[in-house]
Amino acid sequence: MERKQTALMVAIGLMWLAILYMGWKGVWLPAMVLSVFLMLAHMVMGAMHNGKLNKKFFVYPLLAWAVLWIASFLLSAYYADAFRGQVPTFTILGFHPSFAWTILTYWIGGILTLSVGLYACKDNWLSESDWETFKKEIAEIKAQGGKA
Amino acid sequence: MTAGAKVLIIGFSFAMIVVSFLIGIWAKKKADTAQAFFGGTALFGPFVVGLSTMSAVASAFAIVGIPGIIYATGNPMSFWMLSSAAFGMAYIILGKKVRAMAELGPISSLGDISDLRFQNNRYIKAVMSLVLFLGCIAYLAAQIKGVSVMFAHLLGWNFYVTGFLIFGFLIAYMIIGGEAGGIMTQAFQGLIMAVAGIIIIIGFFVVTGGFGNVLDAVAKAGTITGGGVTKKMSADFLNAWGILPGQLSMVYMLIPILGTVGQPQVLTRMYALKNPRDMPKLGLWAALSHAIVGFLAIVMGFGALYLVATGKIAPLAKADTAAAVFADSLGIWGQLLFYATVLAAAMSSASMFLSLSAGIISRDLPAALGFKAVDGKTQIKRFRITMGVLGVIAVALALTNDSMVAILGTFGWGTLMSATFPVFVVGLLWKRASKEGVATGLSIALVLNVICFVLVQNKFKFPGGIPWYFNVIVVSIAATIIVSLFTSGASGKNLDRAVEKVIDL
């Protein structure tokens, strides 16, 4: 369990360094995609219980969010390039086709996955029994004269 | 602005300050222990904590400064303001861990969590407190200065009288109600921001006819000159990346989203929640209210662009005036709601940072420096005195010393993130995060914040145009992880059993 945690934390450190380096070199779109994996790694570590991640919670909200955001950045880049220096031939809800994905997938999609998803799947994140067990364990440690 | 509008703005602003004051007095009943007074620990439900979190995160700069940046450079900054999902992310990453720490012992501040995690390591607590203090005092000075200038100019009042009047009330209710009062007044101010935001957003659609019209006007405007100012516009302005290099979009996306979990105004609210199982609901309230305020900043920037592109007003001499200019176009109610929103945003952020700064000076730093612990009543008394003295000094310096405010403006979101990531994100997610590793990461953060401050004053440009704080954050996190891999203080087998349970939760 600890090895898995350590591997993830080392990956987080390496991703931070890689993103910084890519930013220095102007390779920013791949860096934005990599940053999704960086954030995903943080959330996986935070959501783990006893070193294990609930698979349903991984699929939704976490994986669903990651897919939406990667799609968001790639679609924004595609349409920014497609209409660079010109008036776009169409809009999406009135937005520039490049910016529309920031609104639809980054902003609204982000809320619908991470915020609504956390609420909808709260038992997979922290169940009542896990919380009660935790409190009991802490009480026992305190009773035994543990540092807590 | 008409005299009637000014009277309405004064009346509404005064009413808001008085209601905040009364809430602060009422909250005194709740703040009957040191934990409640300093941290509002485990006292509130998700609605109050959600609004309080959002209003403390969204400062006056979000309402006034961001529309100006969008007016000047297009959409890159929109990533920052549309980062509403950050609250859900923050709670998934650290919510249950931080709240669970409050079950281990009395938690009144972030320093207390650091003590529990790193076995009362005084160096870690001292350096973290110093870096946090830098960031907090920077935010505080910026709120005081910005709002005092704006309201003094608007109302034609004396600048010093305006500043001391607004923030004098704030200091008074924070002294009386402590952080418990702070959380409740911030929730009230957050509600004002959200309601006013909805109405101004509706006004945007009425004035512009919608985003399609804005894009059409900006795309066709070309170069506009008026009032001695020239502004060049194109459709590229309103694509996702605007007219700045793409790497800034990367930074403006990643730093607010992941950085939210490292902001003290978010971390401290995690343990203010009564029931940790309500945290998802808290995330929802914070995200929805932030979505309104974030979108408000976007529409005000877009609105100003539309007014200039359609020739209704001349190009702005100062981009910072974009939000106020757009509010003027909405008429008297738009002006009233805009100034109410700015005041609410400034007061909520200022109260949070004043309370945090006072806690650091009166409680965390003395403890870290080895001064004897005192009982709860004495702590509260010292905190109140420190809050009063610090508040008055902050207001006086912010109003009289322009260069100090400008200098402090260097520190902010990134500085706070560099102080909290090693201790809380790395420390509460990873059992092998050692005290040596975290001490190294924090020391590097402190030194680099100061060095970068000097470099920024000397117009130094970092590679790729990446903002200085991004470099500092990455180096401090990497150092924390690398040193932790080779050291073992308060980690692995030396980890406290109860803390191990928290990390496993």
Side-chain angles (χ1 to χ4, degrees), chain B residues 352-407:
Chain B
M352 199 273 149
F353 286 112
L354 175 62
S355 157
L356 205 71
S357 307
I360 289 170
I361 296 293
S362 69
R363 200 170 169 279
D364 287 352
L365 262 182
L369 295 174
F371 287 90
K372 268 189 180 174
V374 291
D375 62 63
K377 275 191 173 175
T378 313
Q379 281 183 29
I380 292 175
K381 195 176 163 188
R382 285 185 185 174
F383 181 81
R384 283 182 160 143
I385 294 169
T386 310
M387 181 112 70
V389 173
L390 192 66
V392 171
I393 291 174
V395 176
L397 282 178
L399 298 182
T400 55
N401 196 330
D402 281 353
S403 57
M404 189 205 73
V405 177
I407 286 168

Tab-separated table of all heavy atoms in Angstrom, chain B residues 352-407:
chain	number	residue	atom	x	y	z
B	352	MET	N	-11.080	37.499	6.571
B	352	MET	CA	-10.446	36.189	6.666
B	352	MET	C	-8.931	36.332	6.852
B	352	MET	O	-8.325	35.681	7.703
B	352	MET	CB	-10.740	35.417	5.364
B	352	MET	CG	-10.556	33.944	5.474
B	352	MET	SD	-8.870	33.554	5.141
B	352	MET	CE	-8.658	32.140	6.165
B	353	PHE	N	-8.337	37.209	6.066
B	353	PHE	CA	-6.874	37.342	6.138
B	353	PHE	C	-6.429	38.097	7.398
B	353	PHE	O	-5.346	37.839	7.920
B	353	PHE	CB	-6.333	38.001	4.863
B	353	PHE	CG	-6.365	37.054	3.703
B	353	PHE	CD1	-7.225	37.247	2.637
B	353	PHE	CD2	-5.570	35.915	3.696
B	353	PHE	CE1	-7.284	36.341	1.593
B	353	PHE	CE2	-5.622	35.005	2.652
B	353	PHE	CZ	-6.476	35.213	1.604
B	354	LEU	N	-7.273	38.994	7.892
B	354	LEU	CA	-6.949	39.663	9.147
B	354	LEU	C	-6.943	38.647	10.288
B	354	LEU	O	-6.021	38.616	11.114
B	354	LEU	CB	-7.977	40.778	9.434
B	354	LEU	CG	-7.827	41.484	10.779
B	354	LEU	CD1	-6.486	42.198	10.882
B	354	LEU	CD2	-8.956	42.488	11.009
B	355	SER	N	-7.967	37.813	10.306
B	355	SER	CA	-8.072	36.813	11.372
B	355	SER	C	-6.906	35.824	11.314
B	355	SER	O	-6.308	35.483	12.324
B	355	SER	CB	-9.421	36.105	11.214
B	355	SER	OG	-9.406	34.863	11.797
B	356	LEU	N	-6.578	35.405	10.099
B	356	LEU	CA	-5.472	34.441	9.939
B	356	LEU	C	-4.134	35.069	10.362
B	356	LEU	O	-3.339	34.442	11.070
B	356	LEU	CB	-5.409	33.978	8.483
B	356	LEU	CG	-4.775	32.623	8.243
B	356	LEU	CD1	-5.661	31.503	8.746
B	356	LEU	CD2	-4.516	32.415	6.753
B	357	SER	N	-3.910	36.319	9.936
B	357	SER	CA	-2.661	37.013	10.292
B	357	SER	C	-2.560	37.182	11.801
B	357	SER	O	-1.495	36.948	12.393
B	357	SER	CB	-2.596	38.401	9.645
B	357	SER	OG	-2.811	38.322	8.279
B	358	ALA	N	-3.678	37.574	12.438
B	358	ALA	CA	-3.666	37.779	13.894
B	358	ALA	C	-3.402	36.460	14.611
B	358	ALA	O	-2.682	36.424	15.614
B	358	ALA	CB	-4.991	38.392	14.355
B	359	GLY	N	-3.973	35.388	14.104
B	359	GLY	CA	-3.745	34.066	14.698
B	359	GLY	C	-2.284	33.660	14.600
B	359	GLY	O	-1.713	33.087	15.542
B	360	ILE	N	-1.674	33.977	13.482
B	360	ILE	CA	-0.256	33.629	13.301
B	360	ILE	C	0.614	34.394	14.295
B	360	ILE	O	1.474	33.835	14.967
B	360	ILE	CB	0.182	33.921	11.839
B	360	ILE	CG1	-0.459	32.908	10.883
B	360	ILE	CG2	1.705	33.892	11.709
B	360	ILE	CD1	-0.300	33.247	9.417
B	361	ILE	N	0.356	35.719	14.392
B	361	ILE	CA	1.187	36.559	15.250
B	361	ILE	C	0.956	36.281	16.743
B	361	ILE	O	1.892	36.246	17.537
B	361	ILE	CB	0.904	38.067	14.970
B	361	ILE	CG1	1.316	38.420	13.536
B	361	ILE	CG2	1.618	38.975	15.960
B	361	ILE	CD1	2.779	38.367	13.256
B	362	SER	N	-0.316	36.091	17.119
B	362	SER	CA	-0.603	35.974	18.555
B	362	SER	C	-0.458	34.539	19.065
B	362	SER	O	-0.289	34.332	20.262
B	362	SER	CB	-2.021	36.463	18.853
B	362	SER	OG	-2.970	35.575	18.304
B	363	ARG	N	-0.524	33.554	18.173
B	363	ARG	CA	-0.628	32.192	18.665
B	363	ARG	C	0.411	31.240	18.051
B	363	ARG	O	1.198	30.628	18.766
B	363	ARG	CB	-2.038	31.707	18.306
B	363	ARG	CG	-2.512	30.556	19.102
B	363	ARG	CD	-3.982	30.324	18.851
B	363	ARG	NE	-4.345	29.052	19.434
B	363	ARG	CZ	-4.121	27.894	18.843
B	363	ARG	NH1	-3.584	27.859	17.655
B	363	ARG	NH2	-4.442	26.755	19.443
B	364	ASP	N	0.399	31.146	16.712
B	364	ASP	CA	1.248	30.124	16.070
B	364	ASP	C	2.739	30.458	16.157
B	364	ASP	O	3.556	29.605	16.493
B	364	ASP	CB	0.835	29.930	14.605
B	364	ASP	CG	-0.489	29.188	14.489
B	364	ASP	OD1	-0.981	28.712	15.545
B	364	ASP	OD2	-1.024	29.085	13.382
B	365	LEU	N	3.088	31.706	15.837
B	365	LEU	CA	4.519	32.062	15.864
B	365	LEU	C	5.111	32.002	17.272
B	365	LEU	O	6.183	31.415	17.462
B	365	LEU	CB	4.745	33.439	15.229
B	365	LEU	CG	5.192	33.435	13.769
B	365	LEU	CD1	5.416	34.853	13.277
B	365	LEU	CD2	6.450	32.602	13.545
B	366	PRO	N	4.426	32.563	18.298
B	366	PRO	CA	4.987	32.438	19.653
B	366	PRO	C	5.190	30.980	20.052
B	366	PRO	O	6.212	30.632	20.656
B	366	PRO	CB	3.931	33.108	20.543
B	366	PRO	CG	3.234	34.064	19.642
B	366	PRO	CD	3.242	33.438	18.281
B	367	ALA	N	4.223	30.124	19.711
B	367	ALA	CA	4.359	28.704	20.060
B	367	ALA	C	5.553	28.095	19.325
B	367	ALA	O	6.338	27.337	19.890
B	367	ALA	CB	3.084	27.957	19.699
B	368	ALA	N	5.693	28.465	18.049
B	368	ALA	CA	6.798	27.923	17.258
B	368	ALA	C	8.148	28.416	17.770
B	368	ALA	O	9.161	27.725	17.645
B	368	ALA	CB	6.621	28.313	15.791
B	369	LEU	N	8.148	29.601	18.350
B	369	LEU	CA	9.408	30.158	18.860
B	369	LEU	C	9.698	29.712	20.294
B	369	LEU	O	10.660	30.155	20.917
B	369	LEU	CB	9.382	31.691	18.780
B	369	LEU	CG	9.312	32.253	17.350
B	369	LEU	CD1	9.140	33.770	17.373
B	369	LEU	CD2	10.550	31.877	16.536
B	370	GLY	N	8.828	28.869	20.853
B	370	GLY	CA	9.099	28.266	22.155
B	370	GLY	C	8.505	28.995	23.342
B	370	GLY	O	8.812	28.666	24.481
B	371	PHE	N	7.653	29.973	23.092
B	371	PHE	CA	7.007	30.645	24.220
B	371	PHE	C	6.011	29.688	24.886
B	371	PHE	O	5.426	28.840	24.222
B	371	PHE	CB	6.283	31.922	23.755
B	371	PHE	CG	7.227	33.038	23.415
B	371	PHE	CD1	7.722	33.197	22.126
B	371	PHE	CD2	7.642	33.924	24.413
B	371	PHE	CE1	8.602	34.217	21.817
B	371	PHE	CE2	8.530	34.945	24.097
B	371	PHE	CZ	9.012	35.090	22.799
B	372	LYS	N	5.820	29.864	26.187
B	372	LYS	CA	4.942	28.967	26.947
B	372	LYS	C	3.503	29.064	26.461
B	372	LYS	O	3.013	30.156	26.147
B	372	LYS	CB	4.986	29.343	28.428
B	372	LYS	CG	6.011	28.586	29.223
B	372	LYS	CD	5.814	28.875	30.708
B	372	LYS	CE	6.850	28.126	31.531
B	372	LYS	NZ	6.775	28.500	32.944
B	373	ALA	N	2.815	27.921	26.445
B	373	ALA	CA	1.405	27.906	26.069
B	373	ALA	C	0.585	28.562	27.176
B	373	ALA	O	0.933	28.472	28.350
B	373	ALA	CB	0.957	26.475	25.864
B	374	VAL	N	-0.479	29.245	26.767
B	374	VAL	CA	-1.353	29.885	27.769
B	374	VAL	C	-2.757	29.290	27.643
B	374	VAL	O	-3.078	28.623	26.653
B	374	VAL	CB	-1.419	31.419	27.552
B	374	VAL	CG1	-0.090	32.047	27.898
B	374	VAL	CG2	-1.826	31.752	26.117
B	375	ASP	N	-3.624	29.559	28.626
B	375	ASP	CA	-4.961	28.969	28.568
B	375	ASP	C	-5.807	29.656	27.490
B	375	ASP	O	-5.439	30.699	26.945
B	375	ASP	CB	-5.647	29.056	29.943
B	375	ASP	CG	-5.831	30.495	30.377
B	375	ASP	OD1	-6.548	31.228	29.689
B	375	ASP	OD2	-5.228	30.892	31.392
B	376	GLY	N	-6.970	29.039	27.213
B	376	GLY	CA	-7.837	29.515	26.134
B	376	GLY	C	-8.243	30.965	26.270
B	376	GLY	O	-8.219	31.725	25.295
B	377	LYS	N	-8.627	31.362	27.492
B	377	LYS	CA	-9.094	32.743	27.701
B	377	LYS	C	-7.993	33.750	27.384
B	377	LYS	O	-8.233	34.787	26.767
B	377	LYS	CB	-9.554	32.923	29.158
B	377	LYS	CG	-10.994	32.500	29.370
B	377	LYS	CD	-11.474	32.949	30.729
B	377	LYS	CE	-12.968	32.669	30.860
B	377	LYS	NZ	-13.461	32.975	32.184
B	378	THR	N	-6.775	33.429	27.842
B	378	THR	CA	-5.648	34.343	27.582
B	378	THR	C	-5.353	34.386	26.079
B	378	THR	O	-5.045	35.452	25.534
B	378	THR	CB	-4.396	33.884	28.360
B	378	THR	OG1	-4.775	33.587	29.687
B	378	THR	CG2	-3.314	34.917	28.347
B	379	GLN	N	-5.452	33.216	25.432
B	379	GLN	CA	-5.231	33.180	23.978
B	379	GLN	C	-6.215	34.104	23.257
B	379	GLN	O	-5.836	34.882	22.381
B	379	GLN	CB	-5.440	31.754	23.461
B	379	GLN	CG	-4.270	30.826	23.690
B	379	GLN	CD	-4.540	29.453	23.084
B	379	GLN	OE1	-5.267	29.317	22.110
B	379	GLN	NE2	-3.933	28.437	23.660
B	380	ILE	N	-7.477	34.003	23.654
B	380	ILE	CA	-8.506	34.840	23.008
B	380	ILE	C	-8.230	36.322	23.248
B	380	ILE	O	-8.327	37.148	22.337
B	380	ILE	CB	-9.912	34.444	23.515
B	380	ILE	CG1	-10.268	33.036	22.996
B	380	ILE	CG2	-10.969	35.439	23.046
B	380	ILE	CD1	-11.575	32.479	23.524
B	381	LYS	N	-7.838	36.647	24.483
B	381	LYS	CA	-7.547	38.043	24.823
B	381	LYS	C	-6.389	38.572	23.960
B	381	LYS	O	-6.468	39.649	23.373
B	381	LYS	CB	-7.180	38.124	26.305
B	381	LYS	CG	-7.192	39.509	26.888
B	381	LYS	CD	-6.908	39.422	28.376
B	381	LYS	CE	-6.499	40.763	28.936
B	381	LYS	NZ	-6.039	40.650	30.319
B	382	ARG	N	-5.331	37.750	23.869
B	382	ARG	CA	-4.164	38.164	23.058
B	382	ARG	C	-4.543	38.308	21.585
B	382	ARG	O	-4.092	39.209	20.884
B	382	ARG	CB	-3.048	37.126	23.191
B	382	ARG	CG	-2.337	37.211	24.516
B	382	ARG	CD	-1.181	36.251	24.553
B	382	ARG	NE	-0.542	36.237	25.857
B	382	ARG	CZ	0.416	35.407	26.201
B	382	ARG	NH1	0.855	34.497	25.344
B	382	ARG	NH2	0.949	35.454	27.388
B	383	PHE	N	-5.369	37.368	21.134
B	383	PHE	CA	-5.797	37.387	19.733
B	383	PHE	C	-6.570	38.672	19.426
B	383	PHE	O	-6.361	39.317	18.398
B	383	PHE	CB	-6.679	36.153	19.475
B	383	PHE	CG	-7.185	36.022	18.069
B	383	PHE	CD1	-6.384	35.485	17.075
B	383	PHE	CD2	-8.477	36.409	17.740
B	383	PHE	CE1	-6.868	35.339	15.778
B	383	PHE	CE2	-8.957	36.264	16.445
B	383	PHE	CZ	-8.161	35.721	15.464
B	384	ARG	N	-7.465	39.047	20.362
B	384	ARG	CA	-8.278	40.259	20.151
B	384	ARG	C	-7.392	41.499	20.104
B	384	ARG	O	-7.565	42.372	19.244
B	384	ARG	CB	-9.299	40.386	21.275
B	384	ARG	CG	-10.466	39.447	21.090
B	384	ARG	CD	-11.496	39.630	22.182
B	384	ARG	NE	-12.768	39.106	21.751
B	384	ARG	CZ	-13.611	38.463	22.564
B	384	ARG	NH1	-13.316	38.277	23.821
B	384	ARG	NH2	-14.770	38.019	22.087
B	385	ILE	N	-6.422	41.564	21.021
B	385	ILE	CA	-5.527	42.735	21.044
B	385	ILE	C	-4.706	42.781	19.750
B	385	ILE	O	-4.586	43.815	19.096
B	385	ILE	CB	-4.588	42.680	22.280
B	385	ILE	CG1	-5.417	42.831	23.558
B	385	ILE	CG2	-3.517	43.753	22.212
B	385	ILE	CD1	-4.653	42.526	24.837
B	386	THR	N	-4.176	41.592	19.365
B	386	THR	CA	-3.367	41.540	18.138
B	386	THR	C	-4.200	41.939	16.923
B	386	THR	O	-3.736	42.680	16.046
B	386	THR	CB	-2.816	40.113	17.914
B	386	THR	OG1	-2.205	39.676	19.110
B	386	THR	CG2	-1.812	40.082	16.783
B	387	MET	N	-5.429	41.428	16.873
B	387	MET	CA	-6.302	41.741	15.733
B	387	MET	C	-6.521	43.246	15.631
B	387	MET	O	-6.454	43.828	14.539
B	387	MET	CB	-7.636	41.024	15.922
B	387	MET	CG	-8.603	41.253	14.787
B	387	MET	SD	-8.921	39.790	13.836
B	387	MET	CE	-9.854	38.808	14.931
B	388	GLY	N	-6.790	43.895	16.781
B	388	GLY	CA	-7.021	45.334	16.777
B	388	GLY	C	-5.786	46.102	16.330
B	388	GLY	O	-5.857	46.958	15.437
B	389	VAL	N	-4.648	45.762	16.926
B	389	VAL	CA	-3.405	46.486	16.607
B	389	VAL	C	-3.013	46.238	15.149
B	389	VAL	O	-2.728	47.170	14.384
B	389	VAL	CB	-2.266	46.048	17.567
B	389	VAL	CG1	-0.939	46.658	17.141
B	389	VAL	CG2	-2.604	46.459	18.994
B	390	LEU	N	-3.020	44.965	14.755
B	390	LEU	CA	-2.630	44.608	13.386
B	390	LEU	C	-3.573	45.243	12.357
B	390	LEU	O	-3.146	45.741	11.312
B	390	LEU	CB	-2.643	43.075	13.245
B	390	LEU	CG	-2.003	42.502	11.992
B	390	LEU	CD1	-0.502	42.768	11.983
B	390	LEU	CD2	-2.241	40.988	11.936
B	391	GLY	N	-4.863	45.220	12.694
B	391	GLY	CA	-5.857	45.790	11.773
B	391	GLY	C	-5.616	47.267	11.553
B	391	GLY	O	-5.606	47.755	10.418
B	392	VAL	N	-5.400	48.006	12.652
B	392	VAL	CA	-5.183	49.455	12.536
B	392	VAL	C	-3.883	49.737	11.773
B	392	VAL	O	-3.841	50.600	10.884
B	392	VAL	CB	-5.149	50.112	13.938
B	392	VAL	CG1	-4.712	51.564	13.854
B	392	VAL	CG2	-6.527	50.014	14.587
B	393	ILE	N	-2.829	48.983	12.090
B	393	ILE	CA	-1.546	49.188	11.380
B	393	ILE	C	-1.723	48.887	9.882
B	393	ILE	O	-1.263	49.645	9.024
B	393	ILE	CB	-0.435	48.276	11.975
B	393	ILE	CG1	-0.076	48.749	13.386
B	393	ILE	CG2	0.810	48.281	11.097
B	393	ILE	CD1	0.904	47.833	14.115
B	394	ALA	N	-2.441	47.784	9.586
B	394	ALA	CA	-2.625	47.406	8.175
B	394	ALA	C	-3.394	48.485	7.419
B	394	ALA	O	-3.034	48.865	6.299
B	394	ALA	CB	-3.359	46.064	8.087
B	395	VAL	N	-4.452	49.000	8.046
B	395	VAL	CA	-5.241	50.049	7.368
B	395	VAL	C	-4.381	51.296	7.187
B	395	VAL	O	-4.342	51.889	6.096
B	395	VAL	CB	-6.527	50.380	8.176
B	395	VAL	CG1	-7.278	51.541	7.524
B	395	VAL	CG2	-7.439	49.160	8.270
B	396	ALA	N	-3.672	51.688	8.243
B	396	ALA	CA	-2.854	52.909	8.163
B	396	ALA	C	-1.775	52.771	7.092
B	396	ALA	O	-1.584	53.680	6.265
B	396	ALA	CB	-2.221	53.184	9.527
B	397	LEU	N	-1.082	51.648	7.090
B	397	LEU	CA	-0.010	51.462	6.101
B	397	LEU	C	-0.563	51.361	4.685
B	397	LEU	O	-0.017	51.927	3.733
B	397	LEU	CB	0.812	50.213	6.438
B	397	LEU	CG	1.837	50.371	7.568
B	397	LEU	CD1	2.543	49.045	7.836
B	397	LEU	CD2	2.872	51.445	7.237
B	398	ALA	N	-1.669	50.635	4.534
B	398	ALA	CA	-2.244	50.465	3.189
B	398	ALA	C	-2.698	51.801	2.613
B	398	ALA	O	-2.597	52.036	1.408
B	398	ALA	CB	-3.417	49.485	3.244
B	399	LEU	N	-3.190	52.685	3.509
B	399	LEU	CA	-3.702	53.970	3.015
B	399	LEU	C	-2.602	55.007	2.803
B	399	LEU	O	-2.776	55.941	2.028
B	399	LEU	CB	-4.750	54.528	3.990
B	399	LEU	CG	-6.015	53.671	4.194
B	399	LEU	CD1	-6.977	54.368	5.140
B	399	LEU	CD2	-6.703	53.383	2.880
B	400	THR	N	-1.488	54.853	3.521
B	400	THR	CA	-0.476	55.907	3.452
B	400	THR	C	0.761	55.520	2.642
B	400	THR	O	1.544	56.374	2.273
B	400	THR	CB	0.005	56.300	4.867
B	400	THR	OG1	0.459	55.107	5.526
B	400	THR	CG2	-1.111	56.928	5.679
B	401	ASN	N	0.926	54.234	2.396
B	401	ASN	CA	2.172	53.810	1.771
B	401	ASN	C	1.909	53.033	0.473
B	401	ASN	O	1.771	51.810	0.455
B	401	ASN	CB	2.935	52.927	2.773
B	401	ASN	CG	4.387	52.754	2.382
B	401	ASN	OD1	4.709	52.786	1.196
B	401	ASN	ND2	5.250	52.562	3.357
B	402	ASP	N	1.826	53.789	-0.625
B	402	ASP	CA	1.513	53.176	-1.932
B	402	ASP	C	2.538	52.127	-2.330
B	402	ASP	O	2.195	51.075	-2.856
B	402	ASP	CB	1.485	54.266	-3.020
B	402	ASP	CG	0.185	55.025	-2.980
B	402	ASP	OD1	-0.710	54.598	-2.203
B	402	ASP	OD2	0.076	56.043	-3.687
B	403	SER	N	3.817	52.453	-2.093
B	403	SER	CA	4.858	51.540	-2.559
B	403	SER	C	4.818	50.219	-1.789
B	403	SER	O	5.052	49.155	-2.340
B	403	SER	CB	6.242	52.179	-2.442
B	403	SER	OG	6.465	52.554	-1.116
B	404	MET	N	4.434	50.294	-0.496
B	404	MET	CA	4.355	49.059	0.269
B	404	MET	C	3.256	48.144	-0.286
B	404	MET	O	3.434	46.938	-0.424
B	404	MET	CB	4.074	49.351	1.746
B	404	MET	CG	4.194	48.121	2.614
B	404	MET	SD	3.235	48.210	4.127
B	404	MET	CE	1.571	48.023	3.536
B	405	VAL	N	2.109	48.740	-0.628
B	405	VAL	CA	1.007	47.935	-1.170
B	405	VAL	C	1.445	47.306	-2.497
B	405	VAL	O	1.181	46.133	-2.771
B	405	VAL	CB	-0.263	48.799	-1.354
B	405	VAL	CG1	-1.373	47.974	-1.993
B	405	VAL	CG2	-0.726	49.343	-0.016
B	406	ALA	N	2.130	48.102	-3.315
B	406	ALA	CA	2.591	47.582	-4.603
B	406	ALA	C	3.591	46.441	-4.401
B	406	ALA	O	3.544	45.416	-5.086
B	406	ALA	CB	3.231	48.711	-5.418
B	407	ILE	N	4.478	46.634	-3.426
B	407	ILE	CA	5.485	45.602	-3.152
B	407	ILE	C	4.817	44.327	-2.644
B	407	ILE	O	5.087	43.219	-3.101
B	407	ILE	CB	6.527	46.127	-2.127
B	407	ILE	CG1	7.457	47.123	-2.814
B	407	ILE	CG2	7.321	44.986	-1.510
B	407	ILE	CD1	8.329	47.912	-1.863
